[in-house]
């Protein structure tokens, strides 16, 4: 059973997962989630300022920040990923979102294989605002390894196998994770408005059978030529159901 909790200061509930991010978020009654993509990835220090200004202009507290999508220069080592996450979480602590143990914010963090940023950067973010009648959510990104273990490497599904069958099994695992998180938040693929996949491998051999037929591409599928954030991971997905999306100009 997933551990779903309400983060009242933000107006959303979340799937409690690991210290660096939650498994996903959904707006509580009386709220909806708004997603904002920046025109170009911004170095995190600059990106956090944009988040602060956006929430201030919307009349929302920093605790309304509920999800983000990051871009990093290259996959991290296990040690490097932990160190990055500690720095990342410190900002959420300053914003009174992360209490040192539980982190409600959903996240994806992937690495463009072509023209990557020079440092970890903000690609998109989301926050809650007052609204009636909208059932909105964001499921955090996940690769083909269970989270919360001592490391990723020892638990990667078909580690090192990028054959068509190996990738199919990786995709099945990730799709299962997406479905578990959707269910925990009270949704299904039918409720999604966008699904994103991150890989540099060929997903076409299993695209129809494993992704489209199960409804994961109900609103289409956005493919990013990116690698997951930890070395040896090959396939990641996230999804969302939101009523309002904006793009901030450069």
């Amino acid at each position: 059973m997933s551990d779903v909790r309400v983060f009242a200061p933000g107006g959303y509930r979340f799937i409690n997962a690991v210290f660096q991010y939650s498994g996903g978020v959904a707006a509580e009654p009386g709220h909806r989630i708004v997603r904002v993509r920046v025109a170009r990835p911004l170095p995190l220090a600059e990106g956090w300022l944009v988040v602060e200004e956006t929430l201030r202009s919307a009349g929302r507290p920093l605790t309304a920040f509920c999800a983000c999508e990051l871009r990093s220069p290259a996959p991290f080592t296990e040690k490097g990923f932990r160190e990055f996450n500690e720095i990342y979480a410190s900002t959420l602590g300053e914003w009174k979102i992360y209490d040192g143990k539980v982190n409600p914010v959903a996240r994806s963090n992937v690495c463009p294989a072509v023209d990557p940023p020079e440092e970890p950067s903000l690609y998109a973010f989301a926050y809650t605002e007052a609204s009636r009648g909208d059932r909105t959510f964001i499921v955090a990104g996940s690769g083909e390894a269970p989270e919360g273990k001592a490391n990723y490497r020892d638990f990667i599904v078909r580690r090192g196998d990028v054959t068509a069958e190996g990738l199919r099994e990786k995709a099945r695992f990730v799709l299962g994770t997406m479905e578990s998180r959707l269910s925990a938040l009270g949704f299904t693929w039918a409720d999604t408005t966008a699904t994103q996949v991150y890989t540099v491998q060929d997903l076409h051999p299993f695209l129809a059978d494993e992704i489209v037929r199960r409804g994961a591409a109900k609103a289409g599928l956005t493919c990013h030529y990116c690698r997951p954030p930890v070395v040896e991971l090959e396939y990641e997905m996230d999804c969302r159901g939101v009523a309002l999306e904006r793009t901030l100009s450069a």
Side-chain angles (χ1 to χ4, degrees):
M1 295 292 291
S2 296
D3 179 8
V4 179
R5 307 182 186 187
V6 174
F7 183 59
Y12 61 91
R13 62 190 181 277
F14 66 97
I15 303 171
N16 187 39
V18 291
F19 91 91
Q20 57 264 39
Y21 44 77
S22 72
V25 297
E28 282 288 275
H31 298 83
R32 69 175 176 180
I33 292 173
V34 178
R35 178 179 180 265
V36 181
R37 185 176 68 82
V38 296
R40 59 177 178 82
L42 299 174
L44 278 184
E46 185 178 347
W48 295 147
L49 293 177
V50 169
V51 172
E52 291 177 345
E53 177 56 32
T54 300
L55 269 62
R56 184 164 41 248
S57 297
R60 297 294 290 152
L62 290 175
T63 50
F65 177 73
C66 64
C68 63
E69 300 166 45
L70 307 183
R71 297 292 185 265
S72 292
F76 295 88
T77 63
E78 302 268 2
K79 179 176 181 292
F81 197 50
R82 286 193 298 270
E83 292 172 347
F84 167 76
N85 286 323
E86 289 168 358
I87 295 171
Y88 163 82
S90 68
T91 296
L92 302 186
E94 293 171 3
W95 290 356
K96 309 301 182 185
I97 298 175
Y98 173 58
D99 64 4
K101 294 181 180 179
V102 177
N103 186 346
V105 176
R107 191 184 84 187
S108 296
N109 180 11
V110 295
C111 311
V114 177
D115 193 24
E118 294 183 357
E119 60 185 283
S121 300
L122 181 70
Y123 176 83
F125 64 95
Y127 64 92
T128 60
E129 67 176 14
S131 180
R132 294 182 180 180
D134 292 322
R135 297 178 69 242
T136 52
F137 63 91
I138 294 178
V139 170
S142 182
E144 75 275 21
E147 291 160 349
K149 302 291 186 180
N151 61 59
Y152 287 93
R153 184 179 187 277
D154 293 338
F155 301 92
I156 294 174
V157 174
R158 299 287 284 262
R159 181 168 66 89
D161 185 354
V162 292
T163 64
E165 190 54 38
L167 290 167
R168 180 185 294 270
E169 192 168 336
K170 290 173 183 288
R172 283 176 179 164
F173 178 88
V174 176
L175 285 156
T177 299
M178 296 292 102
E179 290 166 355
S180 294
R181 292 176 177 179
L182 282 165
S183 178
L185 293 171
F187 300 96
T188 69
W189 287 118
D191 300 302
T192 56
T193 58
T195 299
Q196 302 185 114
V197 62
Y198 310 95
T199 187
V200 299
Q201 305 299 336
D202 183 9
L203 53 75
H204 289 90
F206 58 86
L207 174 62
D209 293 340
E210 303 296 343
I211 298 177
V212 178
R213 291 190 188 282
R214 68 200 299 163
K218 172 254 179 184
L221 185 69
T222 300
C223 299
H224 298 263
Y225 195 66
C226 295
R227 293 185 171 89
V230 178
V231 292
E232 296 194 90
L233 290 174
E234 297 288 351
Y235 186 92
E236 181 162 335
M237 295 183 80
D238 61 31
C239 61
R240 62 184 181 270
V242 299
L244 179 62
E245 300 199 23
R246 300 167 49 204
T247 300
L248 294 181
S249 60

